Amino acid sequence: MNTLKQNEVWFLTGSQHLYGDETLRLVAEHSKIIAAELNQSETISVRIIFKPTVKSTEEIYAICQEANQTKSCIGIITWMHTFSPGKMWINGLKILQKPLLHLHTQFNRDIPWDAIDMDFMNLNQSAHGDREFGFLVSRMKIERKVVVGHWKDLRVKTEIDSWARAASAWADWQGAKFARFGDNMRNVSVTEGDKVEAELQFGFSVNTFPVGDLVHYINSASEQEVKLLIEEYEASYHLAENLLRNGQKRNALFDAAKIEAGMRRFLNEGGFKGFSNTFEDLHGMKQLPGIATQRLMADGFGYAGEGDWKTAALVRAMKVMGTGLEGGSAFMEDYTYHFDPNNTLVLGAHMLEVDPVLAKDKPSCEVHPLGIGGKEDPVRLVFNGKSGPSLNASLVDMGNRFRLVVNEVEAVEVPESLPNLPVARVMWKPLPDMNTGCAAWIYAGGAHHTCFSQCLTTQHLEDFAKIARIENITIDKNSTLRQLQNELKWNEIYFR
């Protein structure tokens, strides 16, 4: 995923016939200029498409119906240049199925003090036209994002892009398919969930496929496919000595490449956007997929371990949201703590499957024993993650609703060499501090599996949660345990 420019956001301007042809001509002219400015902006990742001014109930209904039926349209931006009576919007908004952003702006940045007259006032009525529209949307209890400011401002464009990225991820989920190879890790609670409710609310489906079906694809991988992957490994990573030509473990590299070739073909032919597996179900496989899973994630597939389909779907969504941004998003697990009072840290890792998009330097390709799974030693990429502002996100099923828990963190350089830990790893400091951040996460029911991101902000995920109509709990530098626990209690009442 290199671009989101295939996605369209339609720019709709509201007015009415009351003001006459000349005013409507100027409304259309101004709207075209604003839409063109937004569309040409390097800040906004999608295409902004101008649509003719809507002036009646019938026109609004028709454009909302068209937006629903147009696959490339991932959402609409509305702006009331003049006063657009809210009742005209009722039927259209009742059927609208795409995300909505309300841009509260006006064509002129400044009041023309010496020239302003009633003609100017009749034309430039956004200050109260948008309030009329805003009331109607609130009255209809429709979730939307409201962005306020002049349309040329960088902050306004940045907020529009945050929402557009969230809308792109939401569109990507509609009709998406996620595969589970085997079932959930036995007796684990947080990785379970209601797949029927998820499809109803989120639009993606999750189904289990026997590992034997995957093994068939793995065994049918051609020598040429495996050869090309081996060449790619040799060019992209530092291969451990025992994986080089004539190395003692060279066969493990061929087996790993064969697994990757089979998994890719299975996922691509099935039209899947993500997958999960579990070390408890590897029947017929020589090793647990390590490097295969890491590389598939790096190419945009969602993934989570132990049958955790919710996190796999979230990883996919966050990868779509982060398209083209510096950094990356990856499956992660809070593994162990460093409780030095002068330098508290979290060590994040997983057995094998942390995405190399987080790597600080060129990863090392290594093979080591794995104490679980009962298979041959798996090949994996080993690296340290980059430092900088980051976040962890977790999607959990609370029984009567889904909850998205987000913790802002500060990733740091791994302070020691860790010579006996042959896994990819990242280290971070939770905000606002270790004690508060970890306690808040646990109070909120956040999972041990997360999507760790160094390209997204909490704003992206807040916009996504609003589009998805799910609960959102954010833990950041301003969080306190008292405030968070009250928020959880209030939310319990709201969602009941």
Side-chain angles (χ1 to χ4, degrees), residues 71-343:
K71 187 174 181 180
S72 58
C73 175
I74 61 163
I76 65 171
I77 294 175
T78 56
W79 171 51
M80 307 303 115
H81 194 321
T82 64
F83 195 81
S84 179
K87 289 173 68 176
M88 295 196 312
W89 288 86
I90 291 175
N91 287 340
L93 293 179
K94 277 171 62 177
I95 67 164
L96 183 65
Q97 298 169 350
K98 299 295 175 76
L100 171 65
L101 182 145
H102 182 188
L103 179 58
H104 186 39
T105 189
Q106 61 186 27
F107 184 70
N108 57 298
R109 193 194 72 172
D110 304 321
I111 293 175
W113 303 106
D114 294 333
I116 188 169
D117 57 16
M118 286 310 300
D119 287 339
F120 181 93
M121 296 281 276
N122 281 335
L123 175 61
N124 297 283
Q125 298 188 56
S126 303
H128 74 294
D130 277 329
R131 282 171 166 78
E132 164 73 0
F133 179 78
F135 163 76
L136 190 280
V137 181
S138 294
R139 174 68 175 79
M140 295 180 69
K141 297 179 174 59
I142 295 173
E143 285 285 7
R144 80 283 200 190
K145 181 181 178 76
V146 178
V147 177
V148 180
H150 194 255
W151 46 279
K152 285 189 176 181
D153 288 352
L154 177 60
R155 178 191 56 78
V156 168
K157 294 174 182 176
T158 300
E159 287 194 43
I160 291 173
D161 184 61
S162 172
W163 170 85
R165 288 178 176 277
S168 294
W170 180 251
D172 183 75
W173 264 9
Q174 306 314 300
K177 297 192 296 182
F178 292 87
R180 299 172 84 204
F181 299 118
D183 198 7
N184 191 61
M185 181 179 172
R186 299 178 194 116
N187 295 316
V188 176
S189 58
V190 76
T191 53
E192 288 282 15
D194 188 334
K195 296 188 287 293
V196 174
E197 187 61 29
E199 188 162 357
L200 284 168
Q201 182 153 1
F202 297 138
F204 62 74
S205 63
V206 182
N207 286 292
T208 299
F209 294 85
V211 177
D213 288 359
L214 175 60
V215 169
H216 172 75
Y217 277 81
I218 293 170
N219 290 340
S220 62
S222 68
E223 289 186 11
Q224 181 64 15
E225 286 178 297
V226 173
K227 178 176 178 292
L228 289 174
L229 282 173
I230 294 288
E231 291 174 356
E232 198 169 328
Y233 297 168
E234 292 172 332
S236 303
Y237 315 116
H238 296 296
L239 261 63
E241 187 174 345
N242 59 0
L243 292 177
L244 297 173
R245 285 183 174 83
N246 301 320
Q248 292 180 344
K249 292 286 188 176
R250 182 70 171 184
N251 284 341
L253 195 66
F254 279 89
D255 292 336
K258 200 166 185 179
I259 290 172
E260 180 179 343
M263 291 182 77
R264 279 189 183 276
R265 194 146 50 85
F266 184 100
L267 295 170
N268 287 328
E269 287 185 8
F272 297 102
K273 292 182 176 178
F275 65 102
S276 68
N277 55 22
T278 173
F279 62 88
E280 291 179 323
D281 195 346
L282 298 170
H283 187 70
M285 298 179 66
K286 286 192 173 182
Q287 55 180 265
L288 184 65
I291 188 173
T293 300
Q294 291 175 295
R295 285 169 48 83
L296 285 163
M297 270 193 291
D299 287 343
F301 287 96
Y303 171 79
E306 291 90 55
D308 187 355
W309 54 271
K310 298 188 300 300
T311 303
L314 181 62
V315 169
R316 169 66 184 192
M318 290 175 66
K319 282 184 173 292
V320 172
M321 276 185 264
T323 298
L325 296 178
E326 186 176 350
S329 298
F331 172 56
M332 186 60 66
E333 182 171 273
D334 294 59
Y335 230 103
T336 195
Y337 292 146
H338 185 60
F339 270 134
D340 178 350
N342 297 314
N343 187 31

Side-chain angles (χ1 to χ4, degrees), residues 364-397:
S364 173
C365 182
E366 304 176 13
V367 58
H368 298 274
L370 187 67
I372 58 177
K375 296 293 180 179
E376 296 177 11
D377 300 344
V379 177
R380 81 291 302 267
L381 300 176
V382 178
F383 57 84
N384 289 333
K386 297 185 283 278
S387 61
S390 311
L391 59 80
N392 267 310
S394 171
L395 182 63
V396 292
D397 185 341

